[in-house]
Amino acid sequence: MQEPNQSFVTEFILLGFSLSPRTTPLLFSAFLMIYLLIILGNGLIAILICLDSHLHTPMYFFIGILSMLDLGYTTTTVPQMLAHLASEKKTIPFTSCVAQMYIFLVLGITESWLFAIMSIDRYVAICHPLRYKVIMSPWLCGVMVIFCGLWGVTSALVYTVFAMHLPYCGPNRINHFFCEVPAVLKLACADTSVNDRVDFILGFSVILIPLSLILVIYFNIFIAILKIRSAQGQLKAFSTCASHITVVTMFSVLAMVMYMKPGSKSSPDEDKKLALFYNVISAFLNPIIYSLQNKDVKRAVLRVTGWGRSPQGVRP
């Protein structure tokens, strides 16, 4: 039975990072610069893929979706974090906290499954190159992306409903820089063991199953690569997978550690570092990993900007 004097919080306070007054401006400048580079890098990739017909392939279609997801979930958290670093007011209304939690989960879970879809694309490209365009048709690519989005919407709804149906009657200080499920659950005025079990079970469907699928697919890819006779051919085939493996490792492993461990065993400082890495740093590194050594992207930049055109009357 609810106590007669029990009250429920209408807003939360995000404690963010424990910093000295001298350190705060430096951290604000660093995160602002990283966020602007995230917008620039991911936005540039998405625009290039839309404008350059040479990049209208399944692989770049998925990379474009990944860039939009990275832009989305960093924008869900980073601007608010910057605002709290710049001012003394660090509150967030209860409804805004719920919305932030849900949107972040939708985009993150969708991205987790997108990585699995991207590994399927690499498997078809390497193991069935002659049938690649037939198998990975635009219709199939669209259906797979819709599947990822629907899975994200549904799973995030379950996460959010189970987290926010609990009573929150104080304290209202979240030891995090945004409303992430594990941090919010620590403030619940009720037993959260059921939530821990639900989060662990959902972790299988949103993290472990996609990650297991990726491992199985890449095992088969590596077997196929080893059958290639030339060392140059093996290196070329492996290079098309290296960037995807790197991005998956950064994102999935850290998200698994965050969401599948019991809340009682989590450390606020460690959780903030993990969240910062897979939320901000991975979104910052993804465009670099996918485009720094990518000749197709470099050529697309030259074609779209016109820098690669030769002057009239002069042969290249």
Side-chain angles (χ1 to χ4, degrees):
M1 181 180 295
Q2 181 179 319
E3 297 178 8
N5 294 329
Q6 189 177 25
S7 60
F8 294 90
V9 299
T10 58
E11 64 180 16
F12 291 107
I13 299 173
L14 292 167
L15 298 181
F17 301 95
S18 302
L19 302 170
S20 65
R22 294 182 179 180
T23 310
T24 300
L26 295 176
L27 194 65
F28 175 86
S29 301
F31 282 138
L32 177 60
M33 182 62 65
I34 291 173
Y35 181 57
L36 293 176
L37 290 174
I38 288 172
I39 295 175
L40 178 64
N42 288 284
L44 178 62
I45 287 180
I47 292 170
L48 283 176
I49 292 171
C50 289
L51 295 180
D52 196 308
S53 60
H54 295 81
L55 300 183
H56 292 177
T57 63
M59 182 181 76
Y60 288 106
F61 171 70
F62 294 132
I63 290 175
I65 298 296
L66 176 64
S67 295
M68 298 306 295
L69 290 173
D70 284 341
L71 275 175
Y73 73 69
T74 51
T75 301
T76 305
T77 60
V78 177
Q80 177 193 261
M81 178 179 67
L82 292 172
H84 287 180
L85 285 171
S87 66
E88 295 182 0
K89 186 179 180 181
K90 303 181 186 299
T91 58
I92 179 172
F94 185 90
T95 53
S96 298
C97 185
V98 175
Q100 184 186 58
M101 181 188 298
Y102 178 70
I103 294 171
F104 180 80
L105 285 170
V106 168
L107 298 174
I109 294 169
T110 301
E111 183 162 321
S112 178
W113 270 100
L114 182 67
F115 286 136
I117 299 301
M118 293 172 75
S119 68
I120 295 174
D121 173 71
R122 291 299 83 208
Y123 172 80
V124 177
I126 292 172
C127 299
H128 304 281
L130 299 179
R131 301 176 57 202
Y132 175 63
K133 290 185 178 180
V134 176
I135 297 174
M136 299 301 295
S137 64
W139 180 85
L140 180 61
C141 293
V143 168
M144 290 193 292
V145 169
I146 292 172
F147 164 80
C148 295
L150 290 176
W151 199 284
V153 168
T154 305
S155 300
L157 184 63
V158 176
Y159 266 115
T160 307
V161 168
F162 269 87
M164 305 316 293
H165 86 285
L166 295 171
Y168 293 89
C169 48
N172 66 338
R173 301 166 71 86
I174 301 175
N175 195 359
H176 211 298
F177 62 89
F178 73 101
C179 291
E180 192 166 36
V181 173
V184 175
L185 285 178
K186 292 179 180 180
L187 303 182
C189 305
D191 181 26
T192 60
S193 57
V194 174
N195 294 77
D196 288 339
R197 287 194 290 270
V198 170
D199 292 350
F200 186 81
I201 294 170
L202 282 174
F204 277 94
S205 67
V206 302
I207 300 175
L208 277 185
I209 292 179
L211 190 58
S212 299
L213 181 61
I214 291 169
L215 292 175
V216 171
I217 290 172
Y218 271 108
F219 177 77
N220 287 278
I221 289 175
F222 290 145
I223 290 176
I225 290 175
L226 293 175
K227 292 180 180 179
I228 300 175
R229 295 182 179 181
S230 67
Q232 185 177 2
Q234 289 181 344
L235 182 61
K236 184 178 179 180
F238 179 76
S239 65
T240 64
C241 304
S243 56
H244 183 245
I245 295 172
T246 304
V247 170
V248 168
T249 302
M250 286 193 307
F251 181 88
S252 299
V253 174
L254 295 177
M256 182 172 61
V257 172
M258 172 68 76
Y259 280 90
M260 296 192 70
K261 65 181 178 180
S264 58
K265 295 185 178 180
S266 61
S267 166
D269 291 335
E270 291 180 2
D271 288 351
K272 282 185 277 189
K273 292 175 183 177
L274 287 173
L276 186 64
F277 197 91
Y278 73 74
N279 176 211
V280 180
I281 305 302
S282 65
F284 168 70
L285 293 176
N286 284 354
I288 299 173
I289 294 170
Y290 276 114
S291 63
L292 188 61
Q293 299 298 327
N294 193 311
K295 294 180 181 179
D296 292 337
V297 173
K298 292 178 181 178
R299 293 192 192 104
V301 172
L302 296 177
R303 283 192 294 266
V304 171
T305 58
W307 293 340
R309 298 173 184 171
S310 301
Q312 287 184 342
V314 180
R315 291 187 177 184

